[in-house]
């Protein structure tokens, strides 16, 4: 039965909080971050962006000036906001130094295009990868030159921002809420005073948020909302308001009973009472059989959402494959109510009201050649030019694409340095080369040179799959052969590549060396598999899954050298989805001394190459959270550094420890660091007193082994630093960011000589 919902929530003050102290803590941490940057003795450190850009990166949001179609704003999932006034020939980052870098949606006011609203926080949950929580809603009243945070920090992930067509101070926000914990700051929020105060007008529960909103093209009082319960889908559904969002009624007529997953909504501009819903139907078939894995379905209403009918006759399973929870957007042509596009793992086009679909064209010209042949997967936003419906702008995991023929052919505007790197390495060649693996844009290598805007990107892919992407993680050059690179894809798919061969197809130049256990001992690997090349023998590789495994012949064969070290996985939100090893470290001072850290916070040690393992974290008052880094000291044999991240539990505290006795006892060295999730810790190769850490908001250094930390963010944008290395010869720090590619700076001032 339909139900009317009126959220009896009081007006919310500027901070946007309802009942949680977390936004206060994060605001305090951000102020400390800024203060440390301003007052740092290294505040003048100069970072140079070195790319790459040809690979693109995940574009979550696109907005275009209503009367200047060549002025485009794009929001990478974790790469700040970029603006172009020349249709993408050049770009300017305009949201670089705010309290967050992660973008959910961008909206430009039609009544005053200088007013730009932004909802922060990526909109796809990723238990193994990264989907960062934002810090609320921002507004610019000068076309992106300056920004004001207007609150709602605890919404974390904002799916949609709608602006009233006549009043840029009336704004609606669809808030998904926390991904990994229950919270009441989710649903639909409305402001009528430009963000000074917010009122929550639709609230389903502390487990269910709103991922999409749509406004009737002719009557802004009519709104539709797509509620989404990420975990179980029982409370997902579509809602309608006819009074500007003050009250809501659930729409059920003609819609599946559920459970359902994510849904997208879009009105037809040329036939305003027609609206489409593209949703992920989880409901079982008769007899209790599940529909394949996901059920992509298109529904249409011609009475403003009061009643619906399923319109697709084509099987839309290929749209989602297994990723319905990541995508569900639908767009309607401005001139034809029967012409629609749907976005999923792939993008499809229909000219008969959603009955049948064809995949968009895949003839692509690229600004920077990537050797790619087809359209990248995983589509997140599509803008259709209201004055010229043949012009489309598409955002996906491979970056930004522009079409002028309704999607038959595309220009890949791959000149944005927005690579989402997981790991970084560097060789000792002269000049040296940087290597790294990225989210869905494969492994790359390139020089440590500053980006030149109108020069060809000097970076190259180690390997590309046929879909011009693929996740890549640890990427290491063979120390004895500059042409051999080791890298990996998801869940232990490890390869050894001769980069002088065919980068696209691999062929004989690529050797698959995935670690495989015997039939009676199946090894499990997480989203990424930590691996390393032994410092004592370049033919020896170590990798971590539920066990530590070893190859003595460059990956040709493998053997387990540990018992099962995995934590218990699972849980409602799959905080510890696999329980496997996330980090490995081999001592550079003692052969056979190896550490293995896990998703659940355990750390295991062997001193004899795997004959005996001991857990050294149980009962030590350490966090039972994802181990983000283990470093066996290069200066003192018994010293080991350990960091954890609570990212997957909506915990942003700083967790970093040191042990001086092989893990028997630990002490925190978090000191004066702000509360920012810590991703990596490194020792200086020259000075044992100097440490570096990369966090979800920047990078810090200590010259007294963690007693006091100094910001070395300098001119670095607000960006998550996921890995870093210190080049010992060049005395440079190389940071791999998850959203802004690679930056390099000198550490000579920090080293003091």
């Amino acid at each position: 039965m339909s139900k009317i919902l009126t959220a009896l929530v009081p007006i919310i003050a500027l901070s946007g909080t309802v009942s949680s102290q977390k936004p206060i803590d994060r605001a305090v941490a951000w102020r400390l971050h800024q203060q440390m940057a301003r007052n740092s003795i290294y505040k003048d450190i100069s970072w140079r962006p070195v790319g790459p850009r040809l690979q693109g990166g995940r574009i979550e949001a696109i907005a275009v000036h209503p009367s200047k179609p060549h002025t485009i704003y794009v929001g990478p999932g974790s790469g700040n906001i970029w603006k172009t006034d020349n249709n993408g020939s050049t770009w300017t980052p305009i949201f670089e130094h705010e309290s967050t870098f992660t973008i959910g949606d961008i909206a430009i006011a039609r009544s005053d295009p200088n007013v730009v609203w932004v909802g922060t926080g990526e909109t796809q949950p990723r238990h193994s990868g990264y989907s960062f929580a934002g810090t609320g809603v921002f507004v610019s009243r000068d076309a992106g030159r300056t920004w004001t945070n207007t609150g709602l920090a605890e919404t974390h992930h904002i799916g949609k921002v709608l602006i009233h067509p006549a009043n840029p101070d009336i704004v609606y926000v669809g808030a998904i809420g926390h991904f990994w914990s229950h919270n009441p700051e989710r649903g639909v929020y409305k402001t009528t005073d430009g963000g000074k105060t917010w009122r929550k007008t639709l609230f389903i529960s502390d487990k269910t948020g709103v991922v999409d909103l749509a406004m009737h093209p002719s009557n802004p009082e009519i709104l539709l909302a797509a509620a989404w319960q990420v975990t179980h889908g029982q409370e997902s559904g579509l809602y309608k308001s006819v009074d500007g969002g003050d009250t809501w009624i659930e729409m059920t007529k003609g819609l599946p009973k559920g459970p359902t997953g994510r849904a997208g909504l879009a009105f037809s501009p040329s036939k305003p009472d027609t609206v489409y819903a593209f949703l992920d139907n989880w409901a079982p078939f008769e007899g209790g059989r599940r529909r394949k894995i996901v059920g992509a379905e298109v529904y249409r209403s011609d009475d403003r959402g009061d009643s619906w009918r399923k319109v697709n006759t084509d099987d839309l399973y290929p749209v989602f494959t297994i990723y319905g929870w990541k995508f569900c957007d639908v767009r309607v042509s401005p001139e034809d109510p029967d012409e629609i596009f749907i976005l999923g793992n792939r993008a499809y086009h229909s000219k008969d009201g959603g009955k049948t679909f064809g995949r968009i064209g895949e003839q692509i010209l690229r600004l920077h050649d990537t050797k790619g042949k087809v359209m990248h997967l995983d589509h997140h936003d599509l803008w259709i030019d209201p004055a010229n419906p043949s012009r489309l702008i598409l955002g996906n995991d491979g970056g930004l694409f522009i079409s002028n023929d309704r999607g038959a052919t595309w220009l890949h505007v791959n000149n944005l340095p927005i690579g989402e790197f997981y790991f970084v390495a560097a060789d000792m060649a002269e000049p040296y080369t940087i290597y790294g693996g990225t989210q869905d844009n494969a492994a790359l290598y390139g020089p440590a040179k500053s980006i030149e805007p109108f020069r060809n990107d000097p970076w190259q892919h180690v390997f590309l799959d046929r879909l011009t992407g693929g996740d890549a993680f640890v990427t290491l050059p063979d120390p004895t052969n500059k042409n051999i690179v080791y890298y990996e894809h998801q869940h232990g798919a490890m390869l050894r590549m001769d980069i002088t061969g065919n980068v696209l197809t691999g062929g004989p130049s690529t050797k698959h060396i995935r670690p495989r256990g015997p039939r009676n001992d199946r090894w499990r690997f997480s989203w990424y598999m930590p691996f390393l090349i032994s410092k004592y023998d370049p033919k020896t590789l170590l990798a971590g899954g539920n066990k530590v495994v070893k190859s003595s012949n460059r990956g040709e064969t493998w053997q387990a050298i540990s018992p099962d070290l995995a934590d218990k996985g699972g849980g409602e939100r799959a905080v510890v989805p696999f329980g496997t090893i996330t980090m490995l470290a081999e001592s550079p001072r003692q052969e056979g001394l190896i550490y293995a850290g896990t998703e659940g916070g355990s750390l295991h040690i062997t001193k004899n190459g795997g004959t005996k393992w001991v857990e050294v974290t149980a009962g030590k008052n350490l966090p039972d959270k994802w181990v983000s880094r283990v470093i066996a000291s290069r200066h003192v044999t018994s010293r080991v550094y350990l960091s954890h991240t609570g990212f997957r539990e909506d915990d942003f505290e700083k967790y970093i420890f040191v042990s001086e006795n092989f893990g028997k006892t630990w002490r925190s060295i978090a000191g004066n660091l702000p509360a920012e999730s810590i991703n990596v810790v490194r020792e200086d190769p020259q000075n044992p007193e100097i440490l570096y850490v990369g966090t979800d908001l920047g990078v810090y250094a200590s010259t007294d082994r963690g007693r006091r930390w100094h910001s070395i963010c300098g001119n670095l944008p607000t960006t998550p630093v996921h890995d870093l290395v210190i080049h010992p010869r060049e005395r440079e720090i190389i940071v791999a960011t998850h959203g802004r590619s690679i930056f390099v700076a000198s550490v000579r001032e920090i080293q003091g000589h």
Side-chain angles (χ1 to χ4, degrees):
M1 187 177 85
S2 298
K3 54 189 176 185
I4 297 176
L5 292 182
T6 304
L8 300 177
V9 179
I11 297 234
I12 300 168
L14 183 62
S15 68
T17 63
V18 175
S19 61
S20 172
Q21 294 301 306
K22 283 188 176 179
I24 298 174
D25 296 340
R26 293 176 75 195
V28 168
W30 174 243
R31 287 196 292 271
L32 178 57
H33 175 105
Q34 292 176 301
Q35 178 184 346
M36 289 181 68
R38 285 193 304 268
N39 299 335
S40 175
I41 57 176
Y42 306 118
K43 65 181 178 181
D44 294 327
I45 189 170
S46 180
W47 294 92
R48 64 180 187 271
V50 301
R53 55 195 165 180
L54 80 170
Q55 80 296 324
R58 186 165 71 249
I59 299 292
E60 287 272 2
I62 300 168
V64 181
H65 192 289
S67 59
K68 299 177 181 179
H70 289 169
T71 294
I72 306 166
Y73 298 78
V74 297
S78 56
N80 312 112
I81 297 175
W82 296 75
K83 180 182 178 181
T84 178
D85 290 313
N86 52 24
N87 205 39
S89 295
T90 58
W91 296 87
T92 302
I94 60 169
F95 191 85
E96 279 201 297
H97 300 292
E98 307 304 324
S99 57
T100 187
F101 48 83
T102 172
I103 308 302
D105 196 31
I106 305 171
I108 302 173
R110 280 192 288 170
S111 58
D112 182 356
N114 285 322
V115 178
V116 183
W117 287 86
V118 172
T120 64
E122 294 176 86
T123 62
Q124 49 176 301
R126 297 167 57 85
H127 55 66
S128 297
Y130 293 86
S131 188
F132 295 96
T135 55
V137 183
F138 289 74
V139 64
S140 172
R141 300 186 183 278
D142 51 16
R145 285 188 288 275
T146 60
W147 297 91
T148 301
N149 187 327
T150 66
L152 302 185
E154 280 301 284
T155 57
H156 275 203
H157 303 273
I158 291 174
K160 193 69 173 182
V161 178
L162 288 181
I163 306 173
H164 192 283
N167 186 344
D169 286 339
I170 299 177
V171 180
Y172 302 88
V173 168
I176 302 171
H178 293 193
F179 277 156
W180 314 117
S181 57
H182 298 170
N183 76 305
E185 295 86 359
R186 57 177 88 218
V188 175
Y189 288 86
K190 179 181 180 179
T191 181
T192 58
D193 56 14
K196 294 178 182 177
T197 59
W198 293 91
R199 184 164 58 93
K200 184 161 58 174
T201 69
L202 173 61
F203 177 69
I204 292 92
S205 80
D206 64 357
K207 298 177 288 186
T208 302
V210 169
V211 67
D212 202 10
L213 295 169
M215 181 181 288
H216 191 282
S218 303
N219 184 350
E221 295 297 297
I222 298 175
L223 302 167
L224 303 182
W228 183 27
Q229 185 184 20
V230 175
T231 49
H232 302 301
Q234 296 289 350
E235 295 180 347
S236 300
L238 304 184
Y239 291 81
K240 179 179 179 179
S241 174
V242 296
D243 55 9
D246 289 338
T247 61
W248 296 84
I249 185 170
E250 186 178 11
M251 298 178 289
T252 59
K253 189 175 180 181
L255 292 169
K257 295 180 180 180
T260 58
R262 186 170 183 156
L265 298 162
F267 279 97
S268 165
S270 62
K271 191 179 179 182
D273 288 348
T274 294
V275 59
Y276 289 88
F278 179 37
L279 59 83
D280 182 10
N281 184 4
W282 295 0
F285 284 124
E286 291 184 11
R289 294 174 57 200
R290 282 294 296 266
R291 176 192 310 273
K292 293 184 179 177
I293 300 175
V294 290
E297 297 177 343
V298 178
Y299 289 81
R300 174 171 172 161
S301 171
D302 291 301
D303 55 11
R304 306 179 179 184
D306 290 336
S307 62
W308 298 80
R309 67 185 188 279
K310 181 184 170 185
V311 293
N312 63 290
T313 56
D314 279 358
D315 180 7
L316 297 182
Y317 173 75
V319 180
F320 280 172
T321 61
I322 60 172
Y323 304 110
W325 48 269
K326 289 174 67 173
F327 336 93
C328 246
D329 281 326
V330 57
R331 300 288 184 265
V332 188
S333 169
E335 64 181 11
D336 184 355
D338 292 326
E339 183 179 10
I340 68 171
F341 293 83
I342 56 174
L343 304 183
N345 189 238
R346 297 181 183 272
Y348 283 78
H349 183 202
S350 173
K351 296 181 180 180
D352 56 10
K355 295 177 184 177
T356 61
F357 287 86
R359 215 160 77 196
I360 61 171
E362 297 197 339
Q363 296 184 62
I364 300 168
L365 177 67
R366 304 176 195 274
L367 291 181
H368 296 277
D369 185 20
T370 69
K371 307 291 191 300
K373 302 299 182 184
V374 299
M375 177 61 74
H376 204 288
L377 297 181
D378 302 352
H379 303 282
H380 303 284
D381 202 2
L382 176 70
W383 177 83
I384 307 175
D385 192 334
N388 175 17
S390 292
R391 180 169 179 254
L392 312 175
I393 304 179
L394 173 68
N396 61 32
D397 273 13
L400 196 70
F401 296 78
I402 297 177
S403 174
N404 291 298
D405 52 16
R406 273 180 159 80
T409 63
W410 298 87
L411 173 67
H412 188 187
V413 188
N414 57 337
N415 56 356
L416 286 165
I418 53 174
E420 296 184 334
F421 278 83
Y422 289 101
F423 295 95
V424 69
D427 63 20
M428 292 300 293
E430 293 193 47
Y432 69 87
T433 299
I434 301 170
Y435 303 79
T438 67
Q439 189 276 329
D440 213 12
N441 285 286
L444 300 103
Y445 63 100
K449 296 179 180 179
S450 297
I451 296 176
E452 297 183 58
F454 289 97
R455 297 281 185 177
N456 287 332
D457 193 337
W459 284 71
Q460 299 180 60
H461 280 98
V462 177
F463 176 84
L464 272 181
D465 66 18
R466 63 184 183 85
L467 299 169
T468 71
D471 295 278
F473 307 100
V474 180
T475 305
L476 299 175
D478 187 311
T480 64
N481 187 337
K482 65 179 182 179
N483 294 326
I484 301 298
V485 179
Y486 296 89
Y487 66 104
E488 61 170 320
H489 295 311
Q490 301 94 327
H491 306 297
M494 188 174 176
L495 302 99
R496 189 180 68 232
M497 177 78 178
D498 182 343
I499 57 176
T500 63
N502 190 325
V503 69
L504 183 61
T505 61
S509 61
T510 300
K511 177 70 174 180
H512 292 265
I513 56 171
R514 180 191 185 105
R516 296 186 185 277
R519 290 184 179 180
N520 61 348
D521 184 20
R522 185 181 177 187
W523 300 337
R524 295 185 296 108
F525 298 96
S526 186
W527 176 246
Y528 65 80
M529 175 189 72
F531 76 86
L532 56 86
I533 302 172
S534 174
K535 299 173 176 64
Y536 302 97
D537 177 8
K539 299 187 299 297
T540 296
L541 309 176
L542 296 175
N546 63 315
K547 298 183 176 183
V548 179
V549 298
K550 175 181 177 180
S551 173
S552 299
N553 51 15
R554 292 188 165 94
E556 297 292 335
T557 59
W558 295 84
Q559 63 177 346
I561 62 167
S562 81
D564 194 319
L565 303 179
D567 308 294
K568 183 179 178 181
E572 178 180 313
R573 302 263 168 163
V575 171
V576 184
F578 302 101
T580 48
I581 294 165
T582 57
M583 287 292 157
L584 285 175
E586 179 190 52
S587 171
R589 298 177 59 86
Q590 178 178 315
E591 187 172 1
L593 175 56
I594 304 166
Y595 296 89
T598 68
E599 291 181 356
S602 301
L603 183 66
H604 303 262
I605 179 178
T606 179
K607 296 181 181 178
N608 49 23
T611 302
K612 180 182 179 181
W613 290 83
V614 177
E615 183 181 352
V616 293
T617 46
K620 306 290 177 62
N621 200 30
L622 294 171
D624 55 351
K625 300 178 187 298
W626 195 288
V627 172
S628 59
R629 200 68 50 168
V630 181
I631 298 296
S633 175
R634 68 177 66 211
H635 301 294
V636 178
T637 305
S638 60
R639 182 177 295 162
V640 56
Y641 295 94
L642 177 66
S643 65
H644 303 257
T645 174
F647 166 86
R648 293 158 186 84
E649 298 161 274
D650 297 317
D651 176 1
F652 306 99
E653 190 52 271
K654 52 191 179 182
Y655 298 110
I656 181 171
F657 306 89
V658 66
S659 172
E660 301 290 350
N661 49 18
F662 301 102
K664 291 181 181 179
T665 59
W666 297 88
R667 64 180 175 87
S668 171
I669 54 171
N672 61 317
L673 284 170
E676 299 170 10
S677 296
I678 294 175
N679 301 312
V680 57
V681 55
R682 296 284 183 196
E683 289 183 309
D684 188 84
Q686 295 185 2
N687 187 336
E689 295 297 303
I690 298 176
L691 299 175
Y692 307 87
V693 298
T695 76
D696 272 358
L697 293 176
V699 60
Y700 300 83
S702 172
T703 56
D704 53 14
R705 288 206 308 110
R707 284 184 287 275
R708 183 169 183 80
W709 295 91
H710 306 276
S711 171
I712 57 170
C713 292
N715 61 328
L716 193 71
T718 305
T719 184
V721 174
H722 271 215
D723 197 10
L724 64 87
V725 294
I726 311 299
H727 198 281
R729 184 189 68 232
E730 302 300 325
R731 296 168 66 183
E732 291 188 323
I733 180 173
I734 307 160
V735 299
T737 77
H738 200 77
R740 289 295 298 269
S741 290
I742 306 289
F743 286 80
V744 177
S746 171
V747 293
R748 292 175 184 269
E749 182 183 0
I750 299 170
Q751 291 175 336
H753 55 83

